[in-house]
Amino acid sequence: MFTNFLTTTPELFYGAIFLLSLILVIFSIPSIIHASLKYKLFDVSDLHRKSHAENISRLGGLSIVSSFTICTLLFSAFISFKEANFLIVSCIILAGLGLKDDVYGTNTSTKFLLQLIVASILVFFGDFRLTSLYGVLGINEINYVGGGIFSIILIIFLNNAFNLIDGIDGLAGTIGILASLTFGVCFAIMHQLPYAFIAFALAGAIAGFLKYNWFPAKIFMGDTGALIIGLTTAALAIKFIELNKFTGANKPAFYSAPAIAVSILIVPIFDSLRIFTVRILKKKSPFLGDRNHIHHRLEDLGFRPDKIVILTVILNCIAMFSTIILQHMGSFLLIILLIGICMIFNLLISRQLTKQSRLLSVNK
């Protein structure tokens, strides 16, 4: 009976899991804020890289991972979706890592090792693994080992990419909810119920969190939240690409799936690649923090955090809609188009920063 209900009215199912996840977070965060005040678990203000002037808890990610885990386990039990177990195991391990880092700090080697273990669990046990690149960079089919290694690198990269954009109020959460909702809608169109409910469970959890994280923020998601969002969206991106693989037996619902997946996650991808490239060109460690992220550059132009979030969402939406509309062009050309859109956006920021710098020099 329940299976028939899911099949005939999946929209109610998606709405229910989104709403439940959202409610759990909304009601849990005040307790987390209270505990943080009581035990002084704060993000110590860093005026060089952060815009907030008060001590604010970094434990908001606990509510995201708890709500997402509860909803995923609950609804996966109804449809006997075993792959969700591997995703949940990975999330719990990563949440433990993030929590320790948020409270006490963690060295880089430990963080990398645990992220490697988590990514390996997803790839080799959960089967979240790419088998083709659709001709991007001249690569089509990938063997088991090569596809596994590439998928692990991709998951670790996206883990840290979301962590890197979590620098101002509401940014990582808004991009996370945009990505998860978009994947949810895509999987719903594809009639892929299990992956759609994972995406909507994550979207609901982030939506509840944004109530407290929007400018001015009352709580931050910390590494715990950012790593979970990065991990889950990476897993969804891989499944989206694989389920739209064009074979004789499978006609994809979306063409150029790799390019569409990149467009959905374009903000963390572009910001991370750009920041790593700039640091390497300056002969600095790519993992050394600075104020050269896109959101920092927009802050330097005088934009408030909420306006910065809106601008980056506009960039993300332009990239997504352009790619979906032009999906028949092929992934390689579309990825070049995405690079072009991002470079234009970055160029406009650079020009404004140069003008601002010249005006300051003249005034002096």
Side-chain angles (χ1 to χ4, degrees):
M1 177 181 176
F2 189 79
T3 304
N4 292 334
F5 173 72
L6 292 180
T7 305
T8 55
T9 55
E11 296 81 10
L12 292 177
F13 178 73
Y14 300 144
I17 194 169
F18 178 91
L19 189 60
L20 176 60
S21 188
L22 180 147
I23 291 171
L24 288 173
V25 172
I26 285 178
F27 282 99
S28 64
I29 284 187
S31 297
I32 293 174
I33 293 175
H34 174 75
S36 298
L37 288 170
K38 184 176 181 179
Y39 297 104
K40 299 182 179 179
L41 302 173
F42 298 116
D43 175 23
V44 179
S45 299
D46 179 351
L47 297 179
H48 172 61
R49 298 183 57 210
K50 298 173 183 176
S51 58
H52 60 282
E54 299 176 355
N55 288 325
I56 300 175
S57 172
R58 286 172 52 87
L59 302 182
L62 282 176
S63 62
I64 295 175
V65 69
S66 299
S67 173
F68 174 69
T69 300
I70 290 169
C71 291
T72 301
L73 287 175
L74 177 62
F75 285 90
S76 64
F78 289 139
I79 59 174
S80 300
F81 181 52
K82 294 182 179 179
E83 286 183 22
N85 296 333
F86 297 106
L87 178 60
I88 292 303
V89 168
S90 299
C91 285
I92 291 172
I93 295 172
L94 209 55
L97 168 66
L99 180 60
K100 183 179 183 299
D101 196 35
D102 290 332
V103 177
Y104 297 111
T106 308
N107 61 59
T108 304
S109 58
T110 301
K111 291 175 72 172
F112 176 76
L113 178 60
L114 284 177
Q115 288 185 47
L116 181 62
I117 292 171
V118 162
S120 299
I121 291 171
L122 275 182
V123 170
F124 296 115
F125 294 96
D127 200 31
F128 290 89
R129 178 177 58 86
L130 291 173
T131 60
S132 174
L133 286 187
Y134 293 75
V136 177
L137 301 176
I139 303 172
N140 287 297
E141 296 300 314
I142 316 174
N143 60 37
Y144 184 82
V145 175
I149 292 172
F150 181 78
S151 301
I152 288 172
I153 294 171
L154 178 63
I155 291 169
I156 293 175
F157 171 77
L158 285 173
N159 266 346
N160 292 285
F162 266 96
N163 207 6
L164 289 173
I165 66 167
D166 184 29
I168 60 169
D169 300 351
L171 180 57
T174 303
I175 298 301
I177 194 173
L178 177 63
S180 53
L181 276 177
T182 304
F183 279 126
V185 171
C186 289
F187 284 122
I189 292 171
M190 294 160 59
H191 305 291
Q192 291 290 336
L193 181 73
Y195 303 109
F197 86 67
I198 288 174
F200 285 119
L202 180 63
I206 302 171
F209 171 75
L210 275 177
K211 179 181 184 300
Y212 300 93
N213 185 240
W214 192 257
F215 176 76
K218 298 179 181 68
I219 193 170
F220 300 139
M221 68 171 65
D223 282 17
T224 308
L227 290 174
I228 295 304
I229 294 172
L231 179 76
T232 307
T233 52
L236 292 173
I238 289 170
K239 277 300 176 183
F240 175 76
I241 294 171
E242 281 299 295
L243 291 171
N244 285 290
K245 184 178 179 181
F246 186 82
T247 63
N250 178 51
K251 185 177 179 181
F254 295 91
Y255 292 88
S256 304
I260 293 175
V262 170
S263 72
I264 293 171
L265 299 168
I266 192 63
V267 170
I269 289 174
F270 172 65
D271 185 59
S272 298
L273 290 177
R274 179 192 161 277
I275 203 74
F276 287 156
T277 301
V278 169
R279 288 172 186 172
I280 290 170
L281 290 175
K282 290 183 176 180
K283 296 181 180 180
K284 296 181 179 178
S285 168
F287 306 105
L288 184 66
D290 56 29
R291 279 189 55 85
N292 201 21
H293 291 279
I294 291 174
H295 53 270
H296 288 141
R297 285 155 60 81
L298 288 170
E299 266 190 324
D300 291 340
L301 287 175
F303 288 99
R304 291 193 327 178
D306 51 344
K307 303 299 181 185
I308 294 172
V309 173
I310 292 170
L311 282 173
T312 51
V313 167
I314 290 171
L315 170 65
N316 211 140
C317 289
I318 290 172
M320 286 194 308
F321 293 141
S322 300
T323 307
I324 292 172
I325 291 170
L326 301 172
Q327 60 183 279
H328 290 280
M329 286 177 58
S331 289
F332 183 74
L333 290 176
L334 287 173
I335 288 175
I336 291 176
L337 173 65
L338 290 172
I339 294 171
I341 291 172
C342 292
M343 289 181 69
I344 290 171
F345 184 76
N346 186 59
L347 181 62
L348 290 173
I349 295 174
S350 297
R351 286 188 62 184
Q352 289 302 117
L353 285 171
T354 302
K355 287 181 181 179
Q356 181 176 277
S357 178
R358 288 174 180 171
L359 286 173
L360 290 173
S361 298
V362 170
N363 291 333
K364 286 180 180 180

